[in-house]
Amino acid sequence: MAAALTSLSLSFCQCSAGLLVLYQLGICLFFFSSIAVAATDAPPGCRNEYQLVIVKRWLDGVEKDPLIGSTAAFGSVVPAHLKEAHRLPATFSEPLNSCSSSSSRQSGSIVLAQRGECDFTTKARAAQAGGAAGLVVINNNEGLEEMGCDRNGTALDITIPVVMISPLGGETLNDSMARGRKVELLVYSPKRPSVDYSVIFLWLMSVGTVVFASLWSEITRSEQSDERYNELSPKDSNAAAAKEEEEKEILHITTKSAVVFVITASTFLLLLYFFMSSWFVWLLIVLFCIGGVEGMHSCIVSLVLSKCKSCARKTVHLPCIGEVSIFSLVVLVFCVVFAVVWAANRKASYSWVGQDILGICMMMTVLQLAQLPNIKVATVLLCSAFVYDIFWVFLSPLIFRDSVMIVVARGDNSGGESIPMLLRIPRLADPWGGYNMIGFGDILFPGLLVSFAFRFDKANKKRVLNGYFLWLAIGYGAGLLFTYIGLYLMDGHGQPALLYLVPCTLGTCVVLGKLRGELSELWNFSPEPTEPTASSEVA
């Protein structure tokens, strides 16, 4: 029966993976064909690609932080290299909407105009007629939007570059110019590298978290406890191990809880999508800090006490709490201060370091407390997460017009706040900056299976090459590598990492188990110690 269920689950996963990959390819073909049709239907002079641009600015000759803008579908192409662009003075058009010829001097300058009251092409023609070298349109909505032209008109006569900036950027320039300061602008659009080598560090952090979380019980095992266990009889040793497991309050995931967890995650994702706001993100930040403090405290205390048992001997009595180790209390205060400092400086350029430390500690603790009992539960959990990830990235636009997962990850409509439930590292070679990121779920779901493989190998006294842990850890690293290749082939469009991670981890485990004839044992494995029989006691 177990073998039949295993075969059925494998067939389901393989069919699901094949169909979803085919669907992904279909979406890609539809996407590119739509672009081709749009380009064909566009009027002459309106076929420029929409690109992000960097607007460098100087106030009275002093360089300030640059602004980000986007190009129009018409006008001249913005230079790709800084040395090809020109630094020019900025001036406001008169009237401010640039819907008619300006009464002020614009020759050789970059004109700033408010959006509205006429077409983008009309604004560009008015600025060009006044001798402007470029036009910057200040959007009246948050963010940036595509600037096209009337489908019935042409824009071949527009030969100046046209760029849009956000209202916040417009206010910054307006405040400077209103004080009579000289403002100069330079616009260019640097090419973004296909692959940024910061993904190597993100890969190392992700794989390292999974591997160290699996080995943490061995790393923090003290020599004194090993000696004590060696002195015990086999029966007492099993009882001591069971007692230690109970003290850790291990949560063994069941098939029911696996399905409920994925449904709950989908519900929470929808809540974030529909009700995303700064206060909602702040709630997530508080919860993240609480989880990070607990995880960081657990990691530090367990690591130090494994090397120095005497550190926990000195205690202090606290009201409402009782006896508490002084060392544990000091570590707790340190962790709380660390989390508070991170939260206060979460928008700083270096805040990713604190976020990654808190996140890694929290995930390592979760992987210690939550465990998969066997491959049956792992199949249900990972296949459900597999469908969950692909649906909310690729299929959700068919229902919600947006990729729900990507919108939530970007933090749209969050008031400038970003969701902390991910590891991130700045793009080191990207002139646009930004971060490479990976969500906690892409580490925790496969990490549960890798941790199970280590426990299974240990329980069955398997060597490294004959076990499952090493090969599943390699499979996880390969899955992440395939994810980055997918990002590269899709030109940076968001990818569901579990699309690659689940086949590379669960698939590896099942294939190895089948080849070794151990699939039934993996499927029905129970982590609970069995009571010795009467015959074994007599022996």
Side-chain angles (χ1 to χ4, degrees):
M1 182 64 180
L5 290 173
T6 304
S7 176
L8 180 61
S9 64
L10 286 175
S11 300
F12 172 76
C13 288
Q14 291 171 351
C15 292
S16 300
L19 291 173
L20 288 166
V21 169
L22 288 175
Y23 181 82
Q24 179 183 5
L25 293 175
I27 289 291
C28 295
L29 291 174
F30 176 78
F31 176 75
F32 289 118
S33 63
S34 300
I35 292 177
V37 171
T40 303
D41 294 341
C46 294
R47 297 178 179 175
N48 292 353
E49 293 183 3
Y50 294 107
Q51 295 178 325
L52 289 177
V53 297
I54 294 178
V55 182
K56 295 178 71 68
R57 60 191 181 97
W58 290 263
L59 299 182
D60 295 331
V62 178
E63 185 173 356
K64 300 297 182 180
D65 293 336
L67 306 175
I68 302 298
S70 62
T71 60
F74 53 87
S76 64
V77 178
V78 174
H81 301 286
L82 180 61
K83 61 182 180 181
E84 298 174 354
H86 299 285
R87 176 176 165 181
L88 300 171
T91 182
F92 277 107
S93 64
E94 295 181 8
L96 285 176
N97 57 22
S98 189
C99 290
S100 59
S101 298
S102 178
S103 59
S104 63
R105 183 180 177 183
Q106 298 179 342
S107 179
S109 63
I110 295 179
V111 174
L112 305 176
Q114 293 286 349
R115 180 183 177 181
E117 300 186 34
C118 61
D119 297 333
F120 295 119
T121 52
T122 301
K123 297 178 185 294
R125 289 189 178 97
Q128 182 173 290
L135 173 65
V136 174
V137 178
I138 301 173
N139 196 11
N140 52 14
N141 297 321
E142 290 297 327
L144 303 172
E145 298 179 26
E146 297 179 351
M147 290 189 292
C149 53
D150 189 356
R151 301 182 67 87
N152 298 323
T154 62
L156 292 173
D157 57 322
I158 300 177
T159 58
I160 61 173
V162 181
V163 171
M164 174 181 285
I165 61 174
S166 66
L168 182 60
E171 291 177 8
T172 302
L173 296 176
N174 184 36
D175 291 342
S176 301
M177 297 173 69
R179 298 177 199 163
R181 304 180 68 178
K182 180 183 179 181
V183 176
E184 296 173 293
L185 302 177
L186 182 149
V187 180
Y188 74 112
S189 179
K191 299 296 182 182
R192 170 167 284 169
S194 301
V195 179
D196 190 281
Y197 53 84
S198 63
V199 297
I200 298 175
F201 300 102
L202 190 62
W203 185 90
L204 290 173
M205 283 197 299
S206 304
V207 175
T209 299
V210 171
V211 171
F212 276 98
S214 302
L215 300 175
W216 194 250
S217 60
E218 298 296 312
I219 296 173
T220 57
R221 174 183 292 177
S222 64
E223 296 179 0
Q224 292 90 339
S225 63
D226 287 342
E227 293 175 359
R228 182 169 56 87
Y229 286 159
N230 290 334
E231 294 174 355
L232 298 174
S233 65
K235 181 178 179 181
D236 294 335
S237 179
N238 286 336
K243 182 179 180 181
E244 183 179 354
E245 183 117 334
E246 184 178 351
E247 288 177 354
K248 289 183 179 179
E249 298 181 355
I250 301 298
L251 171 65
H252 292 290
I253 302 172
T254 64
T255 53
K256 181 179 179 181
S257 62
V259 175
V260 170
F261 179 80
V262 173
I263 294 175
T264 303
S266 298
T267 304
F268 191 71
L269 192 66
L270 279 177
L271 290 175
L272 284 173
Y273 176 72
F274 285 112
F275 304 105
M276 175 75 77
S277 60
S278 58
W279 70 266
F280 205 152
V281 177
W282 255 110
L283 176 62
L284 295 180
I285 291 173
V286 172
L287 294 176
F288 171 75
C289 287
I290 294 173
V293 167
E294 184 176 353
M296 194 174 182
H297 178 268
S298 175
C299 290
I300 295 176
V301 170
S302 60
L303 183 61
V304 173
L305 293 185
S306 67
K307 309 301 179 184
C308 177
K309 284 288 184 181
S310 60
C311 294
R313 291 177 182 174
K314 294 183 179 181
T315 61
V316 62
H317 184 81
L318 296 178
C320 303
I321 298 178
E323 291 291 329
V324 178
S325 166
I326 295 178
F327 172 73
S328 178
L329 184 61
V330 171
V331 173
L332 178 61
V333 172
F334 168 77
C335 294
V336 170
V337 171
F338 186 93
V340 170
V341 170
W342 170 81
N345 299 276
R346 67 193 179 281
K347 294 185 179 180
S349 59
Y350 53 83
S351 64
W352 62 274
V353 177
Q355 179 173 329
D356 290 349
I357 292 174
L358 290 170
I360 288 173
C361 291
M362 181 173 68
M363 286 188 288
M364 288 184 63
T365 303
V366 170
L367 291 174
Q368 291 292 306
L369 299 179
Q371 297 180 359
L372 291 171
N374 48 49
I375 292 301
K376 177 174 66 176
V377 178
T379 300
V380 174
L381 176 65
L382 291 180
C383 287
S384 299
F386 179 85
V387 175
Y388 160 87
D389 212 19
I390 293 174
F391 176 82
W392 291 115
V393 173
F394 286 146
L395 303 183
S396 58
L398 301 177
I399 303 175
F400 303 98
R401 297 185 180 180
D402 293 310
S403 176
V404 173
M405 185 79 76
I406 294 176
V407 168
V408 171
R410 284 200 310 251
D412 295 356
N413 303 322
S414 62
E417 300 289 351
S418 58
I419 295 177
M421 276 67 174
L422 44 83
L423 299 183
R424 61 190 178 109
I425 187 170
R427 297 190 181 109
L428 304 176
D430 194 337
W432 295 96
Y435 293 88
N436 285 311
M437 301 175 290
I438 183 170
F440 286 175
D442 300 328
I443 298 175
L444 289 175
F445 284 121
L448 288 169
L449 179 58
V450 177
S451 297
F452 163 78
F454 176 77
R455 295 192 304 275
F456 181 85
D457 290 351
K458 183 179 177 182
N460 291 274
K461 299 181 180 179
K462 288 183 173 292
R463 296 187 176 182
V464 175
L465 295 179
N466 294 328
Y468 293 87
F469 170 69
L470 174 64
W471 304 112
L472 263 66
I474 293 174
Y476 179 76
L480 272 184
L481 180 61
F482 292 147
T483 302
Y484 297 137
I485 293 175
L487 284 170
Y488 169 74
L489 295 177
M490 293 294 290
D491 195 25
H493 292 282
Q495 293 290 295
L498 293 179
L499 171 66
Y500 311 95
L501 293 173
V502 170
C504 288
T505 51
L506 182 60
T508 299
C509 185
V510 169
V511 170
L512 281 178
K514 185 69 175 178
L515 292 176
R516 296 172 177 176
E518 299 174 339
L519 192 55
S520 177
E521 185 179 356
L522 286 164
W523 185 268
N524 297 300
F525 180 74
S526 175
E528 297 179 359
T530 57
E531 292 293 333
T533 61
S535 59
S536 63
E537 290 181 352
V538 172

